[in-house]
Amino acid sequence: MRSLYIVVGVLAFAMVAGCGGDSSNDTPLKQGREVYGNICSACHGSTGQGGIGPSLSAVTETFPSCDDHIEWVTLGSEEWKLVHGDTYGANDAPIEDVMPGQGGTLTAAQIAAVAAYERVFYGNADEAITLDACGVETSSG
Protein backbone atom coordinates (compact mmCIF):
# COMPACT_ATOMS: atom_id res chain seq x y z
CA MET A 1 0.00 0.00 0.00
CA ARG A 2 2.89 2.35 0.78
CA SER A 3 4.27 1.91 -2.73
CA LEU A 4 0.87 2.93 -4.13
CA TYR A 5 1.06 6.19 -2.18
CA ILE A 6 4.56 6.79 -3.50
CA VAL A 7 3.45 6.20 -7.10
CA VAL A 8 0.43 8.49 -6.67
CA GLY A 9 2.67 11.14 -5.08
CA VAL A 10 5.21 10.96 -7.91
CA LEU A 11 2.46 11.18 -10.53
CA ALA A 12 0.86 14.15 -8.77
CA PHE A 13 4.23 15.91 -8.59
CA ALA A 14 4.89 15.22 -12.27
CA MET A 15 1.50 16.63 -13.23
CA VAL A 16 2.03 19.78 -11.18
CA ALA A 17 5.60 20.23 -12.40
CA GLY A 18 4.64 19.64 -16.02
CA CYS A 19 1.48 21.71 -16.06
CA GLY A 20 2.16 24.40 -13.50
CA GLY A 21 2.58 28.02 -14.38
CA ASP A 22 1.43 30.10 -17.28
CA SER A 23 2.66 28.50 -20.48
CA SER A 24 2.05 31.76 -22.36
CA ASN A 25 5.34 32.98 -20.87
CA ASP A 26 7.25 30.00 -22.27
CA THR A 27 9.39 30.52 -25.32
CA PRO A 28 8.36 28.64 -28.45
CA LEU A 29 11.44 26.42 -28.22
CA LYS A 30 10.58 25.50 -24.62
CA GLN A 31 7.07 24.64 -25.79
CA GLY A 32 8.56 22.61 -28.64
CA ARG A 33 10.86 20.79 -26.23
CA GLU A 34 7.89 19.91 -24.03
CA VAL A 35 5.88 18.56 -26.96
CA TYR A 36 8.93 16.67 -28.23
CA GLY A 37 9.53 15.10 -24.82
CA ASN A 38 5.89 14.12 -24.36
CA ILE A 39 5.18 12.78 -27.85
CA CYS A 40 8.05 12.58 -30.32
CA SER A 41 10.84 11.23 -28.12
CA ALA A 42 9.09 7.87 -27.76
CA CYS A 43 10.06 7.06 -31.34
CA HIS A 44 12.82 9.54 -32.22
CA GLY A 45 14.77 9.20 -28.95
CA SER A 46 15.31 11.59 -26.08
CA THR A 47 18.02 13.46 -27.98
CA GLY A 48 16.70 12.98 -31.51
CA GLN A 49 19.12 10.10 -32.06
CA GLY A 50 16.47 7.79 -33.45
CA GLY A 51 15.04 4.51 -32.27
CA ILE A 52 11.76 3.24 -33.64
CA GLY A 53 11.72 6.35 -35.82
CA PRO A 54 14.71 7.81 -37.65
CA SER A 55 17.32 10.14 -36.23
CA LEU A 56 16.42 13.81 -36.62
CA SER A 57 20.01 14.92 -37.29
CA ALA A 58 19.20 15.43 -40.99
CA VAL A 59 15.73 16.92 -40.49
CA THR A 60 16.62 20.15 -42.30
CA GLU A 61 17.98 18.17 -45.24
CA THR A 62 14.90 15.97 -45.34
CA PHE A 63 12.60 18.98 -45.04
CA PRO A 64 14.44 22.11 -46.23
CA SER A 65 11.10 23.94 -45.89
CA CYS A 66 9.67 24.21 -42.40
CA ASP A 67 6.20 24.26 -43.96
CA ASP A 68 6.82 20.76 -45.34
CA HIS A 69 8.14 19.60 -41.97
CA ILE A 70 5.03 20.97 -40.25
CA GLU A 71 2.79 19.28 -42.82
CA TRP A 72 4.58 15.94 -42.28
CA VAL A 73 4.09 16.14 -38.50
CA THR A 74 0.48 17.24 -38.92
CA LEU A 75 -0.51 14.56 -41.44
CA GLY A 76 1.71 11.66 -40.47
CA SER A 77 2.82 9.05 -42.97
CA GLU A 78 -0.54 7.50 -43.86
CA GLU A 79 -2.37 10.75 -44.52
CA TRP A 80 0.75 12.11 -46.29
CA LYS A 81 0.52 9.17 -48.70
CA LEU A 82 -3.08 10.08 -49.53
CA VAL A 83 -2.13 13.70 -50.25
CA HIS A 84 1.39 13.41 -51.71
CA GLY A 85 2.12 9.78 -52.58
CA ASP A 86 4.46 7.11 -51.25
CA THR A 87 7.56 9.27 -50.77
CA TYR A 88 8.46 12.20 -48.52
CA GLY A 89 11.12 14.82 -48.09
CA ALA A 90 13.52 16.54 -50.46
CA ASN A 91 15.06 13.22 -51.52
CA ASP A 92 11.69 11.53 -52.13
CA ALA A 93 12.46 8.83 -49.58
CA PRO A 94 10.02 5.92 -49.68
CA ILE A 95 7.64 5.81 -46.74
CA GLU A 96 8.40 2.47 -45.12
CA ASP A 97 7.33 3.03 -41.52
CA VAL A 98 4.29 4.56 -39.90
CA MET A 99 4.48 7.97 -38.29
CA PRO A 100 1.30 9.01 -36.53
CA GLY A 101 -0.14 12.35 -37.58
CA GLN A 102 -0.44 14.89 -34.81
CA GLY A 103 -3.00 17.20 -36.41
CA GLY A 104 -5.80 15.80 -34.25
CA THR A 105 -3.67 15.79 -31.09
CA LEU A 106 -1.72 19.04 -31.14
CA THR A 107 -2.59 22.61 -32.05
CA ALA A 108 -1.02 24.24 -35.10
CA ALA A 109 1.10 26.37 -32.74
CA GLN A 110 2.37 23.27 -30.90
CA ILE A 111 3.27 21.57 -34.18
CA ALA A 112 5.12 24.66 -35.40
CA ALA A 113 6.96 24.90 -32.08
CA VAL A 114 8.04 21.25 -32.11
CA ALA A 115 9.14 21.49 -35.75
CA ALA A 116 11.21 24.57 -34.88
CA TYR A 117 12.67 22.79 -31.84
CA GLU A 118 13.66 19.74 -33.90
CA ARG A 119 15.22 21.91 -36.61
CA VAL A 120 17.23 24.05 -34.17
CA PHE A 121 18.37 21.39 -31.70
CA TYR A 122 18.71 18.33 -33.93
CA GLY A 123 19.17 19.86 -37.38
CA ASN A 124 21.50 22.66 -36.21
CA ALA A 125 19.39 25.34 -37.92
CA ASP A 126 19.71 29.00 -36.97
CA GLU A 127 17.18 29.80 -34.23
CA ALA A 128 15.93 33.22 -35.45
CA ILE A 129 15.65 32.13 -39.08
CA THR A 130 13.92 28.91 -38.07
CA LEU A 131 11.37 30.55 -35.79
CA ASP A 132 10.46 32.92 -38.61
CA ALA A 133 10.38 30.16 -41.25
CA CYS A 134 8.16 27.98 -39.05
CA GLY A 135 5.81 30.88 -38.40
CA VAL A 136 6.39 30.70 -34.66
CA GLU A 137 5.42 33.86 -32.90
CA THR A 138 7.77 35.10 -30.25
CA SER A 139 6.67 37.58 -27.62
CA SER A 140 9.06 40.45 -27.11
CA GLY A 141 8.11 42.03 -23.82
Side-chain angles (χ1 to χ4, degrees), residues 9-35:
V10 169
L11 290 174
F13 174 77
M15 289 175 59
V16 170
C19 299
D22 180 7
S23 65
S24 64
N25 292 328
D26 289 343
T27 67
L29 292 179
K30 284 182 182 176
Q31 293 170 357
R33 180 182 64 214
E34 182 177 331
V35 169

Side-chain angles (χ1 to χ4, degrees), residues 27-34 36 45-49 55-60 69 113-128 130-131 134:
T27 67
L29 292 179
K30 284 182 182 176
Q31 293 170 357
R33 180 182 64 214
E34 182 177 331
Y36 184 85
S46 61
T47 61
Q49 77 277 11
S55 166
L56 296 176
S57 63
V59 69
T60 56
H69 185 174
V114 77
Y117 173 80
E118 291 172 355
R119 297 172 79 77
V120 169
F121 287 96
Y122 306 133
N124 295 314
D126 177 86
E127 181 176 333
T130 299
L131 291 173
C134 292

